[in-house]
Structures are given as structure tokens and as C-alpha cells.
């Protein structure tokens, strides 16, 4: 699962949850993120900005297919 957060300057935790399991990462200096080793299935993804002025964004039902990279594109954080 990959994507990019806008604004890129806001460090953001990315957490993908499926059932009882989760995998997480943070955005890099360019606002990009990549979750590797994600098993196929349908995930709920939380984007949690470290800046308190921005709100957590939730993406439900993100499907991961074996052999494909799920690209979430640019995700804009709201204040």
C-alpha cells in the first residue's frame, strides 16, 4: 500500500488494520509512505497527523490484491 499525504511537511502515522492484525509506517520527508509485506485482504487505514491542527483521516475497505501494489494517491489532510 503506497500513497502520499498533503501537506507533505506534516509527519503522519499510517496504520492499516485487518481483523486483529495491523501494520504501520510513517510518511517520509516528501509526505510519501509505503507499507510493505501486506497480505491480501480488505483493510481499514488510519492516517494520524502528528500536528494537532489536523484531523485523523480514515479510509475504509482498501483492497490489497496479491502481486499488485495498492496506490492510494495523494491524500489531503483536513484541519
Amino acid at each position: 500500500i503506497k500513497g502520499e499525504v498533503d501537506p507533505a511537511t506534516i509527519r503522519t502515522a499510517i496504520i492499516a488494520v485487518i481483523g486483529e492484525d495491523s501494520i504501520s509506517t510513517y510518511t517520509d520527508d516528501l509526505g510519501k509512505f509505503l507499507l510493505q509485506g501486506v497480505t491480501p485482504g480488505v483493510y481499514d487505514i488510519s492516517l494520524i497527523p502528528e500536528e494537532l491542527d489536523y484531523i485523523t483521516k480514515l479510509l475504509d475497505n482498501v483492497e490489497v490484491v496479491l502481486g499488485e501494489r495498492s496506490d492510494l494517491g495523494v491524500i489531503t489532510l483536513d484541519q
Side-chain angles (χ1 to χ4, degrees):
I1 301 174
K2 72 174 191 167
E4 186 174 341
V5 171
D6 180 45
T9 56
I10 306 298
R11 183 169 159 90
T12 303
I14 315 298
I15 304 169
V17 177
I18 184 170
E20 300 285 321
D21 297 325
S22 66
I23 185 170
S24 62
T25 191
Y26 280 91
T27 52
D28 65 14
D29 292 340
L30 301 175
K32 298 181 181 196
F33 64 89
L34 176 63
L35 289 165
Q36 295 181 310
V38 180
T39 56
V42 179
Y43 289 79
D44 292 330
I45 299 177
S46 299
L47 294 92
I48 306 170
E50 287 190 346
E51 292 283 333
L52 298 178
D53 294 341
Y54 290 85
I55 8 180
T56 296
K57 184 158 269 201
L58 303 173
L59 305 174
D60 294 328
N61 302 316
V62 174
E63 186 173 4
V64 173
V65 178
L66 183 65
E68 294 181 17
R69 181 169 287 167
S70 300
D71 189 346
L72 303 179
V74 177
I75 302 158
T76 302
L77 299 174
D78 299 320
Q79 289 185 306

